[in-house]
Amino acid sequence: MDLPSLAVILQAALSPNPDERKTAEQSLNQFQYAPQHLVRLLQIIVDNNVDMGVRQVASIHFKNFIAKNWSPLDDTQLKISQSDKDVVRDHILVFVTQVPPLLRVQLGECLKTVIHSDYPEQWPHLLDWVKHNLQDQQVYGALYVLRILSRKYEFKSDEERVPVYRIVDETFPHLLNIFNRLVQIVNPSLEVADLIKLICKIFWSSIYLEIPKLLFDQNIFNAWMMLFLNILERPVPSEGQPVDPDLRKSWGWWKVKKWTVHILNRLYTRFGDLKLQNPENRAFAQMFQKHYAGKILECHLNLLNVIRVGGYLPDRVINLILQYLSNSISRNSMYTLLQPRLDALLFEIVFPLMCFNDNDQKLWDEDPHEYVRKGYDIIEDLYSPRTASMDFVSELVRKRGKENLQKFIQFIVEIFRRYDEASAEYKPYRQKDGALLAIGALCDKLKQTEPYKSELEHMLVQHVFPEFSCPVGHLRAKAAWVAGQYAHINFSDQNNFRSALQCVVSRMQDSELPVRVDSVFALRSFIEACKDLNEIRPILPQLLDEFFKLMNEVENEDLVFTLETIVDKFGEEMAPYALGLCQNLAAAFWRCMNTAEADEEADDPGALAAVGCLRAISTILESVSRLPHLFVQIEPTLLPIMRRMLTTDGQEVFEEVLEIVSYMTFFSPTISLDMWSLWPLMMEALADWAIDFFPNILVPLDNYISRGTAHFLTCKEPDYQQSLWNMISSIMSDKNMEDNDIVPAPKLIEVVFQNCRGQVDHWVEPYLRITVERLHHTEKSYLKCLFMQVIADALYYNAALTLSILQKLGVASEIFHLWFHLLQQVKKSGMRTNFKREHEKKVCCLGLTSLLALPADQLPAEALGRVFRANLDLLVAYKEQVAEAAKEEEAEDDDDMDGFQTDDEDEEGNGFDKEMGVDADEGEDADTITLRKLAEQVWICRP
């Protein structure tokens, strides 16, 4: 396709007519693999005479095609010719910095893909291009490329990091010269800030995990540090700063300041601490501590002083500086430097940062949902001056409490006093808010330290609980939060505990959303701390009602955690509310999923809350597991979720949904036809994309076979037996599958043999054949043992049939020889190496015992003797283990759902920890009774 024709198609892709857009997209897809297509797209992107919309469409198509096809996982399906790749590599370096920023973003992503794929092997001259242009007029382009190149190795370690050493050795001298020239420019432009920012990012990526050897030269390192300290100390240009706060913090010169502080913090915390360094780096750490750490501390304090006098610093810069100061508290030399300015820092800078401010009030009034989100978002904490201030105070009283805790508490008490004495219109509400935040942040220290520990209850009663009725909303919210922090203390007067609980519950109906949310979180702490559930039982319906009103307003995973706490605490008492809870959680789940799909962010609060909703549903199902009739009522509510989320739409919540399916198929009185309709969905997912979830999928499949055996055996539309065989044979015959990944497959064969005795004779040979074939290719002892258990289960199913099949396959002697070898293996301690679990011994015993029942002509006398001796030893070990288990059985095992327990004994770590049916010892079945009687006899008769 020639350039004009391609431009016309790209223009059509912008059409408001959906049919025209669809036709254009089909044409682009049709010609995308044609020779020169990629080159022509690049020509359109860089052509200033082409409409910007067309260029943007071309850039997006170009980026997506390169991301998918430049380095495909399957090397046999190369879609881009080598000549086209050469042209792209030669020209993208030149054009990436010449195109407008809108297009540069797309080309930058392309360049990142190509560099990560091709450098250094397929693009050996890239570094030469960078070096040449660092000395030419294309400095920005060279820095832009070098940033991508250095970032490739940012998180690499050991041998993977080797290429970065050459990059540093050959480019850092040029970077240092450029940096030095830029710093000396009088009245520098914003473009200068962009260049310095790129140099800082390159330096950051190059030293993130390890200091390059070049920088161990003290003269070279000192030259860099002088430039960083210059940037740190000099004020940013006053002209050109945006007025808008969001634009201001992203302004180029503030970005330079942020990256400088970032780098100095990294050098200090990772490479400047003598305790963290290996011997060869100790000299560097000593040099950094001696020459730079104190100077950086002084610069940081001077920077913070700007906000003390009403100046501006971006939140991220404040946060990073306070992190540096927090890390300095425990180091004697640094703390000595900090001490003369500590009071001013603590009381005039750090504490004011902890107080409610104008920005908080604006957000509270204009967007309370965003206020709540920011307050409970751990990502926000990375940028928050308030969080960094809390951390600084906590670290100060933890490491230097003797000289600082008392004076800080006295400062807080003085705020409380002034607040109490002032009339309503003059009360320092915001300072009281900061004081309460400080008290809450120091709860761990105060709970352990006298005399404060003894005064906590009095403090809560006098200074916290009254704020539940404060006319200022943020103080009501802070009172709820602080009350929750101290809910676990031992109240000398239980009336105070009840009063606090009642206050928290009453604030769940507050007119202000943030107050209601903080009250719910406080409620979780009070429920956890409650020693007498009678305190809560009378208000439980009201609590749940208010809780779900709030869930309709806010998508927050912490809300769901609170519900889980309630369910855990009350257990089966939640039965009357189980259906309503599940219905509300299902509705909340769909709302959260819709929000997550709209935002398309993996860490979006809606997505996290959706996961939380499913976890809460599982908690409810477990709490009512002894009431199977409830599962019938709940099933219609959960079916739409299970059906939809067992497809690719549910990849982010697949594990949680499988757990719900497991509960529903295990605890329901019977498995309904609607639940059976989920089987094909799981099989399709497993075949397509969900192999990593095979251990989780095993659990419900086991339940279907073991609890719905008749339907599994008789249904032909769909044919579940054939479906199971197709899946197991495909996985076990795939030589590219790792041993760890196939473990659930033989476990499922076991389930079939154990539950379908006498009814699946036609499947015995196929399953044995595939088991033996895979056995021949495995080296892992635990998997060999698992295959032996399949053989044992087959013998238990039908010993004569199994033996004849093994003989037909020509592997009978080989199999039994391996089995006996595995049974006899012991460790140096004398402990059995294999078949350590009670269930494993039981399976082997049943298989071996089945052999003993065969007619004499089917089992040679020599073989009979070996089988008898092996069975005898195994029965003794089985009896001893049963007796030991009976002694150690814990109370929680009484209502154990065996399949949801972790297999702690599996030393090989096969990743399988949910064996609901396979390992279920749910009472004394006939086989267990028989084995135990045999074991008793063997124990008595054994010399």
Side-chain angles (χ1 to χ4, degrees):
M1 185 187 300
D2 57 23
L3 276 176
S5 300
L6 180 57
V8 170
I9 292 175
L10 291 168
Q11 183 70 59
L14 294 169
S15 171
N17 186 318
D19 293 332
E20 289 183 14
R21 287 200 309 273
K22 184 176 180 181
T23 302
E25 289 163 5
Q26 289 173 344
S27 297
L28 286 171
N29 291 334
Q30 180 183 351
F31 292 103
Q32 63 181 338
Y33 298 118
Q36 296 286 301
H37 178 73
L38 202 59
V39 175
R40 293 189 181 101
L41 280 174
L42 184 57
Q43 288 177 292
I44 289 175
I45 294 168
V46 302
D47 189 343
N48 291 327
N49 296 318
V50 176
D51 175 75
M52 179 54 76
V54 172
R55 295 172 71 188
Q56 188 175 6
V57 171
S59 71
I60 293 171
H61 188 71
F62 185 78
K63 178 196 71 175
N64 292 340
F65 185 80
I66 283 183
K68 182 179 179 181
N69 298 295
W70 191 271
S71 181
L73 295 176
D74 185 355
D75 292 340
T76 63
Q77 308 226 343
L78 298 177
K79 303 292 178 64
I80 307 174
S81 69
Q82 192 59 48
S83 60
D84 281 3
K85 282 190 171 186
D86 291 339
V87 172
V88 169
R89 278 193 291 254
D90 289 343
H91 290 83
I92 196 171
L93 292 173
V94 177
F95 291 119
V96 70
T97 57
Q98 294 182 5
V99 296
L102 193 65
L103 304 179
R104 186 183 305 151
V105 172
Q106 309 297 341
L107 288 188
E109 284 299 311
C110 297
L111 186 57
K112 178 180 174 183
T113 300
V114 175
I115 287 176
H116 279 245
S117 169
D118 292 0
Y119 182 83
E121 291 83 1
Q122 284 80 44
W123 208 352
H125 303 302
L126 176 62
L127 189 57
D128 294 331
W129 182 93
V130 170
K131 285 161 51 183
H132 173 76
N133 284 279
L134 285 175
Q135 303 168 70
D136 199 358
Q137 299 302 311
Q138 295 291 327
V139 172
Y140 182 82
L143 291 175
Y144 188 91
V145 173
L146 186 56
R147 164 59 175 156
I148 297 173
L149 190 55
S150 62
R151 195 171 189 184
K152 174 181 179 179
Y153 300 99
E154 184 171 319
F155 302 108
K156 304 291 186 184
S157 58
D158 302 327
E159 293 182 4
E160 290 184 298
R161 191 171 176 79
V162 170
V164 85
Y165 301 141
R166 183 187 168 208
I167 295 171
V168 169
D169 288 343
E170 298 195 19
T171 64
F172 267 41
H174 300 299
L175 291 184
L176 193 58
N177 290 333
I178 296 168
F179 197 177
N180 200 37
R181 291 200 306 270
L182 294 172
V183 166
Q184 294 178 33
I185 295 175
V186 180
N187 298 322
S189 66
L190 201 56
E191 286 72 21
V192 172
D194 290 338
L195 293 172
I196 295 177
K197 181 177 68 174
L198 279 172
I199 293 173
C200 289
K201 288 183 174 183
I202 293 164
F203 190 93
W204 166 268
S205 293
S206 301
I207 61 100
Y208 184 76
L209 284 182
E210 189 176 324
I211 295 288
K213 292 293 187 287
L214 180 73
L215 296 179
F216 279 97
D217 184 316
Q218 189 164 346
N219 291 328
I220 294 175
F221 184 74
N222 184 67
W224 280 97
M225 290 301 297
M226 289 302 100
L227 293 172
F228 286 133
L229 288 170
N230 182 302
I231 294 293
L232 189 64
E233 288 180 306
R234 64 160 64 176
V236 299
S238 56
E239 294 183 7
Q241 288 200 44
V243 177
D244 181 270
D246 291 330
L247 295 176
R248 193 177 192 186
K249 68 182 181 183
S250 300
W251 190 51
W253 284 108
W254 282 122
K255 285 285 190 180
V256 167
K257 190 79 75 174
K258 183 205 79 172
W259 276 104
T260 302
V261 176
H262 220 4
I263 288 168
L264 295 174
N265 278 20
R266 185 68 179 175
L267 289 169
Y268 180 53
T269 56
R270 183 169 178 84
F271 309 109
D273 187 348
L274 295 175
K275 296 179 182 178
L276 300 177
Q277 300 309 309
N278 53 34
E280 58 264 31
N281 288 341
R282 188 174 296 274
F284 179 89
Q286 290 173 335
M287 177 270 294
F288 189 89
Q289 285 276 10
K290 180 178 180 181
H291 296 292
Y292 305 110
K295 179 62 175 175
I296 296 168
L297 177 75
E298 182 183 345
C299 292
H300 282 352
L301 290 172
N302 291 338
L303 260 178
L304 281 182
N305 204 51
V306 170
I307 60 175
R308 181 187 178 194
V309 296
Y312 172 79
L313 276 183
D315 286 354
R316 181 60 169 151
V317 173
I318 298 172
N319 179 285
L320 288 168
I321 290 174
L322 288 173
Q323 286 184 40
Y324 188 97
L325 299 180
S326 294
N327 282 310
S328 299
I329 290 170
S330 61
R331 306 181 189 186
N332 291 336
S333 60
M334 298 292 282
Y335 183 69
T336 300
L337 294 174
L338 186 60
Q339 270 186 309
R341 302 173 67 173
L342 183 58
D343 283 1
L345 171 67
L346 183 60
F347 301 125
E348 298 179 40
I349 298 174
V350 171
F351 179 75
L353 288 171
M354 298 174 70
C355 295
F356 198 81
N357 59 38
D358 290 341
N359 291 333
D360 297 323
Q361 189 66 59
K362 186 173 186 292
L363 193 60
W364 178 290
D365 293 337
E366 296 178 0
D367 193 349
H369 287 83
E370 178 63 8
Y371 181 91
V372 169
R373 187 199 66 76
K374 289 185 70 172
Y376 289 92
D377 187 346
I378 58 174
I379 302 301
E380 291 287 341
D381 289 344
L382 297 175
Y383 301 90
S384 167
R386 181 168 292 138
T387 300
S389 298
M390 293 166 64
D391 292 342
F392 177 82
V393 171
S394 297
E395 186 72 0
L396 185 66
V397 301
R398 188 170 71 90
K399 293 290 179 62
R400 307 286 178 176
K402 287 184 179 179
E403 56 262 56
N404 292 296
L405 179 57
Q406 183 179 1
K407 69 180 179 182
F408 186 72
I409 293 299
Q410 287 176 343
F411 174 79
I412 297 299
V413 169
E414 176 61 20
I415 291 174
F416 286 163
R417 185 191 64 77
R418 285 191 282 109
Y419 178 88
D420 291 340
E421 292 176 356
S423 57
E425 62 270 26
Y426 296 112
K427 284 185 181 295
Y429 292 110
R430 293 185 175 183
Q431 283 197 318
K432 177 68 179 283
D433 189 285
L436 291 179
L437 181 65
I439 291 296
L442 297 179
C443 65
D444 290 337
K445 181 71 173 180
L446 296 179
K447 287 175 184 177
Q448 300 169 8
T449 308
E450 293 291 2
Y452 312 107
K453 178 180 177 181
S454 302
E455 295 297 321
L456 289 177
E457 184 174 354
H458 174 73
M459 180 272 297
L460 292 171
V461 171
Q462 186 168 353
H463 299 294
V464 179
F465 297 166
E467 302 309 325
F468 278 107
S469 56
C470 177
V472 177
H474 65 82
L475 268 182
R476 297 197 300 273
K478 195 65 86 245
W481 178 77
V482 175
Q485 294 291 97
Y486 288 94
H488 292 273
I489 69 170
N490 291 320
F491 283 85
S492 59
D493 185 348
Q494 280 302 305
N495 288 324
N496 289 330
F497 180 87
R498 295 188 194 100
S499 174
L501 176 60
Q502 290 167 1
C503 288
V504 167
V505 173
S506 68
R507 286 301 109 203
M508 289 176 65
Q509 304 173 47
D510 197 277
S511 60
E512 304 273 12
L513 176 65
V515 181
R516 298 198 295 274
V517 172
D518 280 341
S519 297
V520 168
F521 297 150
L523 176 66
R524 180 171 65 189
S525 298
F526 277 93
I527 291 174
E528 289 172 347
C530 189
K531 298 173 183 176
D532 183 1
L533 293 182
N534 286 323
E535 302 280 0
I536 301 174
R537 280 191 182 94
I539 59 172
L540 187 57
Q542 176 195 351
L543 286 182
L544 295 175
D545 184 54
E546 296 299 331
F547 183 86
F548 283 116
K549 287 179 183 176
L550 194 56
M551 282 190 68
N552 288 331
E553 294 182 83
V554 181
E555 293 161 4
N556 189 297
E557 59 177 333
D558 289 318
L559 287 174
V560 184
F561 291 157
T562 302
L563 178 60
E564 286 188 85
T565 302
I566 296 173
V567 174
D568 279 338
K569 197 78 174 180
F570 284 91
E572 285 190 11
E573 291 186 47
M574 299 302 294
Y577 315 103
L579 178 59
L581 288 169
C582 287
Q583 288 172 337
N584 278 282
L585 283 166
F589 169 80
W590 289 119
R591 286 195 303 273
C592 294
M593 288 301 295
N594 291 335
T595 301
E597 289 171 3
D599 289 349
E600 296 182 349
E601 291 285 344
D603 58 352
D604 175 75
L608 297 174
V611 172
C613 288
L614 296 182
R615 284 202 306 261
I617 288 172
S618 289
T619 302
I620 293 165
L621 296 178
E622 185 173 7
S623 73
V624 296
S625 59
R626 298 190 188 190
L627 304 169
H629 67 281
L630 290 178
F631 286 78
V632 179
Q633 300 173 20
I634 292 170
E635 183 181 303
T637 298
L638 301 184
L639 263 173
I641 293 177
M642 292 185 283
R643 282 191 176 129
R644 169 89 177 274
M645 296 302 142
L646 287 175
T647 69
T648 52
D649 289 347
Q651 292 187 43
E652 298 300 323
V653 295
F654 199 67
E655 186 173 350
E656 288 74 19
V657 172
L658 286 172
E659 185 169 33
I660 291 173
V661 178
S662 300
Y663 278 114
M664 296 301 297
T665 52
F666 191 80
F667 289 118
S668 294
T670 59
I671 299 177
S672 69
L673 292 179
D674 283 332
M675 287 301 299
W676 274 101
S677 70
L678 304 179
W679 173 295
L681 299 178
M682 288 185 283
M683 288 299 189
E684 289 171 17
L686 192 56
D688 186 19
W689 55 270
I691 189 64
D692 289 343
F693 297 95
F694 196 8
N696 309 84
I697 294 173
L698 166 61
V699 182
L701 293 185
D702 180 344
N703 294 341
Y704 280 115
I705 299 168
S706 59
R707 299 195 67 248
T709 309
H711 190 70
F712 172 76
L713 292 171
T714 58
C715 183
K716 297 303 178 186
E717 287 295 334
D719 189 332
Y720 296 109
Q721 296 179 60
Q722 187 66 47
S723 167
L724 186 68
W725 162 254
N726 292 344
M727 179 271 288
I728 290 176
S729 62
S730 173
I731 288 175
M732 288 183 62
S733 62
D734 187 345
K735 295 180 181 178
N736 294 320
M737 291 277 287
E738 297 288 338
D739 283 348
N740 284 346
D741 295 331
I742 73 158
V743 166
K747 288 178 178 283
L748 280 169
I749 301 175
E750 285 195 88
V751 175
V752 173
F753 287 159
Q754 288 173 4
N755 290 279
C756 307
R757 294 182 74 185
Q759 301 179 82
V760 289
D761 288 8
H762 58 295
W763 288 116
V764 177
E765 181 171 340
Y767 279 129
L768 286 178
R769 184 183 298 275
I770 198 73
T771 298
V772 171
E773 288 175 358
R774 186 71 195 209
L775 176 61
H776 287 152
H777 292 95
T778 187
E779 298 295 329
K780 301 288 182 68
S781 61
Y782 73 84
L783 193 56
K784 291 179 181 179
C785 292
L786 190 53
F787 289 142
M788 287 300 104
Q789 287 172 226
V790 173
I791 304 295
D793 275 306
L795 289 168
Y796 170 67
Y797 174 88
N798 187 324
L801 175 62
T802 298
L803 194 57
S804 67
I805 292 171
L806 293 176
Q807 290 168 345
K808 174 183 175 182
L809 297 175
V811 296
S813 297
E814 172 194 341
I815 291 295
F816 284 106
H817 177 77
L818 176 60
W819 194 359
F820 293 142
H821 171 72
L822 292 170
L823 283 168
Q824 292 165 3
Q825 276 189 314
V826 293
K827 299 178 181 179
K828 290 182 180 179
S829 63
M831 297 291 291
R832 184 180 295 274
T833 302
N834 307 307
F835 306 110
K836 293 173 290 187
R837 303 178 66 205
E838 184 179 322
H839 165 75
E840 294 161 355
K841 294 183 179 69
K842 173 180 173 179
V843 169
C844 289
C845 285
L846 289 172
L848 293 170
T849 303
S850 300
L851 283 171
L852 296 176
L854 288 174
D857 60 343
Q858 293 189 29
L859 198 64
E862 181 183 353
L864 180 64
R866 293 193 69 184
V867 170
F868 184 81
R869 286 192 297 274
N871 206 12
L872 185 69
D873 290 340
L874 208 53
L875 283 167
V876 171
Y878 176 73
K879 174 182 169 48
E880 290 173 346
Q881 189 164 358
V882 169
E884 186 65 27
K887 291 179 183 178
E888 297 179 356
E889 190 174 52
E890 297 176 353
E892 64 184 14
D893 292 336
D894 294 338
D895 58 353
D896 171 34
M897 181 175 165
D898 185 80
F900 284 100
Q901 288 188 318
T902 300
D903 180 5
D904 292 327
E905 294 185 351
D906 191 352
E907 296 176 358
E908 297 277 354
N910 59 33
F912 176 75
D913 64 358
K914 292 187 175 181
E915 302 174 322
M916 186 182 301
V918 174
D919 268 0
D921 294 324
E922 302 166 1
E924 299 287 308
D925 60 29
D927 299 312
T928 302
I929 293 171
T930 300
L931 277 180
R932 291 192 178 179
K933 287 181 178 178
L934 278 171
E936 292 284 351
Q937 295 169 15
V938 169
W939 184 262
I940 293 170
C941 298
R942 194 166 186 248

